[in-house]
Each structure stands twice: as structure tokens, then as C-alpha cells.
Amino acid sequence: MTASTIGMSAFEIATLVRSKQVSAAEVTHEHLALVKARDGDLNSFLQISEEAALASAKAVDEMIAKGEDPGALAGVPIALKDNLVTRGISTTCASQILKAWKPPYDATVILKARAAGAVALGKTNLDEFAMGSSTENSSFGPTRNPYDLGRVPGGSSGGSAAAVAAKFAPIALGSDTGGSIRQPAALCGIVGVKPTYGLVSRYGLIAFASSLDQIGPFARNVKDAALLLQVIAGHDRMDSTSLGGPVPDLLSDIENGVEGLRIGVIEELIDGVSPMVGTALDSAANSLSAQGAQVEHLSVPAVKYGLSAYYLIAPAEASSNLARYDGVRYGLRVEGQDMNETYVASRTKGFGPEVKRRIMLGTFALSSGYYDAYYGRAQRVRTMIIDSFRKAYESFDVLLSPTSPTTAFELGAKAADPLSMYLSDVCTIPTNLAGHPAISVPYGEGENEMPIGVQILAPALGEANMFKVARALERGAPLIAKKLFWE
Ligand code: GLN
């Protein structure tokens, strides 16, 4: 092998593998060696699936030897959030309740990535059942930020974000219910995408809040993120919420620039952000305008209520989705005197404090007598938000906001105060409620020299425009000068 493939993009690796300049086995060995040497400090992986990875790499190399094309992700290492089910490989959701569970099937996104030649290295850490914004709610210990081991990587897909930022893999998959791909991407200085609701099959994603959950890509650059989304998108008969119709072409237009596009900066989402995040957003807006876009501020009034509506709707759906962990069908079982005691004992031991808090919040919001005052009202607010965005997109092609109000905070800083943790997602939640796509693009450094992310929001199925703007933003973005912990 000539040069090291560590730090290369997915495009570069696939090109080298397809043209036989490097083997998928060599790429896999190199990335696994780095993970083994360095992940002790980061805790981004809950499990490394070395044997399966080497077998996938071998299959790719055999296809190439036979003159066949393994696909757009030939030999590209990928990390998988541990709420995506993997056949025969334990899938924990970072919870004690699923600690020993080995699923009998693979999530559709994993089958699609593998069919395109990707090599899965293992399962990454998350907040238990994807509930959180720092990965500190994992029952297997927190993940750390690769730019500062004393700080959080964001969450809930903190393991996937940290692994990609640390160059353990060029790409990863996560899930985003209220910001869990975009917020950790911003805090770790990488790209993260929440696709349109229904664009990507959720068959094999362990459900948190089903009207909000979407699977999406992480990458260190915009084109790799578009490539991975292109691979995993599309209708799946195993997921009744997945959209029909052709997958939008995300790559052919991506370098075409923003000339003539109308971009709106959402005023409500700038209030209360840290000074350097605010400055970065201004500079991002100026850069897009210098590249020929028409950039203006606008008001999207209903987004102010997003967080409150989300913290009724998401826990309500979670309380229902998590009813299946009863100690009977699968997962942890703690015996009691009778069936009811067994349920209680299993759930008491198996779930962590944040999951219990969500189940209680959700059960309360759905309880008779309160249903309309809480859940019903939150649904009406959701309709207002959709309406507010619809009006905004009559005058703008895409919208701009910060991804997170601050850069990465210190471990423990918000762990004791759920409300301050919930506020981390104020900028990302409105898109989930509307079902729209959004992307976080790294934009230099802010407080404590930690990375900043700028968010681009688009209307439903507006991914192609969204990626075009993201690529333009990336072209003009200041770089992150800070070194990774192992560099
Ligand atoms: N941080 C938010 C929550 O705790 C969002 C989580 C997510 O998107 N999975 O619910």
C-alpha cells in the first residue's frame, strides 16, 4: 500500500479500492487498528465487529478480483449507531435492558450500505434510547469529544459523530428525532444530515418517537454525506412510512453554487446563541451572499414553540414505543412474584433515569383528562410550525440558522439539569416537527476553540438544493485549526 487511507474521504477510498490501488482489507485493517489504539480515550464504539468487517472487506476484494463493481462505497469503513439492528451482532441502544440482545435481522440502511460496498466496523455509543444531547445518558459510559476529551461530543448520536471526527471511519449512520445527528455533528466539527421524513427506511431502527425519527448520514465533508444519503434513501416495503417515487439526485448539482438562490436567516433561532456562534452565522450568511445568493433575515414565528411541543410529543410516543420492553418478549428479565411484578422489576432495573423521566412525562401527557390539554395542544402547535415554514418557503429556497446555541460543553455541565440539556436542541427540533430535511455544516471554531456548525433547512424533499448550499458554505468556511486528541 502506498499512502495511509486514514483521514481520506469516502469518495477517495472508494476510488482507490475500485481502481485496485488499495484493497478493502488494507483499508479495514488500518481503520480498525486506529480504533483499537485510540478509542479507549474516546469510547465512541460500544462494540467493534472485527470479524464481520474483515469478511465484508474480503467480499469487496473478491468482487473486484472478478472484475465486478462492488458499488459507490467500495471498501469504505462505516460506523453504525447502536440503535440500528444488526443480525447476530448485539444491539443495545446503550441500555441495560437490551444489553444481551442479538437481533435476528439487519436494518434496511445497513443492507443498502453493504450492497454498495461499505464495510461496517462496529456499533457506536449513544444516549440511552437516543434520549439526550451529550451521550452522557449511555449506560456504558459517556463518549468524549475528540477535540477536547473533557467535553461532550453532543448527542444522542455522539459515538458516530466522535468516531467520524476522530477519523476512525469517513462516514457513519445516526438517527435524528430532535437533532441527534445535526447537534453532535456541529459539536464535533463534521457534517450531519437529517433527511426528509420518509426518505430513508426506518426498518430496523429501534423506535423512539415514530412521527419524528429519521436515519441519516455523518461525514467529514458535504459530498460524502450526500453520497451516503443517496445510497440509503428510497422506498422500502418493510417501512410503511417510507416514501415512494424516485430518490432525488443529490450529487449532480452539488457543485453548481448558490447564484440566484434565496436564503433566509431565521431570526427566532439567533436569540440567545453564544456570541461566537452568532458571529459565525453572520459570516456564513455573508459568504453565501458573496457567492451570489440573496440573503435576508426573516421571521418564522412558530419555531419558538418547537421545544415545548417536542417535549410533549416525543415523550408521548416514546412511552408507547417503550412499552414493548416488558421482560417477556426479549431483553432483560427480572423475575417477580407474578407477571406484573416481573414487568415492574425488569423495567426498573433495565431503564436509566432519563428514559424513566421520558416515560413518565409521556404517560402523563397522554393520560385521560390531560390528553387534550397537553398532547392535543402540542399537535396543534406542530401544525402551526408546519404552516410557518410553508409561508417562509414561499419566499425562500432554504433557511439558515445555528445548529446548536453553543459549542461543546464540559462533561457533567448539564447532566444534573434536564431543562438546560433540552435547550441544546432548540434550533434543530422545529425541522423534525415539520418533517423537513436539514444539514449541519462545520463553520470554524467558537468558544474554547471548539467547532461551530451552521444549519441549512429546506422544505420536504428539498435535499438537492440543501446540499448545493451546504457545499457552497463548506467552500467558504473557516477551517478547524484545533488538533484531534491523538494528533
Ligand atoms: N436531544 C433530543 C432528545 O433528547 C433529541 C434526541 C434525538 O434526536 N434522538 O430528545
Side-chain angles (χ1 to χ4, degrees), residues 173-381:
L173 290 173
S175 65
D176 190 312
T177 304
S180 278
I181 294 175
R182 291 160 287 158
Q183 185 260 15
L187 271 48
C188 290
I190 62 169
V191 176
V193 183
K194 185 268 190 219
T196 300
Y197 186 80
L199 186 62
V200 176
S201 164
R202 298 179 299 172
Y203 181 64
L205 169 67
I206 296 180
F208 165 8
S210 307
S211 77
L212 303 159
D213 299 339
Q214 263 296 287
I215 298 170
F218 286 101
R220 285 191 301 269
N221 66 72
V222 171
K223 269 180 76 181
D224 277 1
L227 174 65
L228 178 54
L229 180 54
Q230 191 84 61
V231 165
I232 61 171
H235 180 69
D236 178 11
R237 65 182 186 82
M238 301 303 280
D239 174 1
S240 62
T241 64
S242 88
L243 296 167
V247 176
D249 177 350
L250 305 176
L251 285 158
S252 15
D253 228 16
I254 202 164
E255 299 287 359
N256 288 352
V258 290
E259 186 80 53
L261 283 180
R262 299 159 307 166
I263 301 176
V265 181
I266 306 177
E267 264 169 357
E268 287 77 6
L269 299 183
I270 321 175
D271 286 348
V273 305
S274 81
M276 293 179 87
V277 169
T279 309
L281 190 72
D282 287 344
S283 143
N286 290 338
S287 154
L288 291 171
S289 143
Q291 294 182 58
Q294 294 169 32
V295 186
E296 275 168 51
H297 280 234
L298 88 161
S299 169
V300 187
V303 300
K304 294 197 287 285
Y305 311 115
L307 197 74
S308 319
Y310 174 88
Y311 275 98
L312 290 165
I313 294 169
E317 294 183 11
S319 71
S320 154
N321 273 326
L322 271 57
R324 71 190 68 169
Y325 306 102
D326 55 8
V328 177
R329 281 168 280 194
Y330 52 96
L332 180 79
R333 177 185 180 91
V334 181
E335 292 294 339
Q337 297 293 335
D338 55 30
M339 207 58 250
N340 211 39
E341 260 190 29
T342 300
Y343 292 156
V344 173
S346 303
R347 289 167 69 83
T348 301
K349 181 136 192 271
F351 289 139
E354 183 61 28
V355 175
K356 287 176 183 158
R357 183 179 297 122
R358 302 288 178 107
I359 292 172
M360 285 189 282
L361 275 171
T363 308
F364 184 74
L366 292 173
S367 57
S368 79
Y370 293 100
Y371 185 93
D372 201 53
Y374 293 119
Y375 187 73
R377 184 163 295 192
Q379 291 291 17
R380 287 195 287 281
V381 170

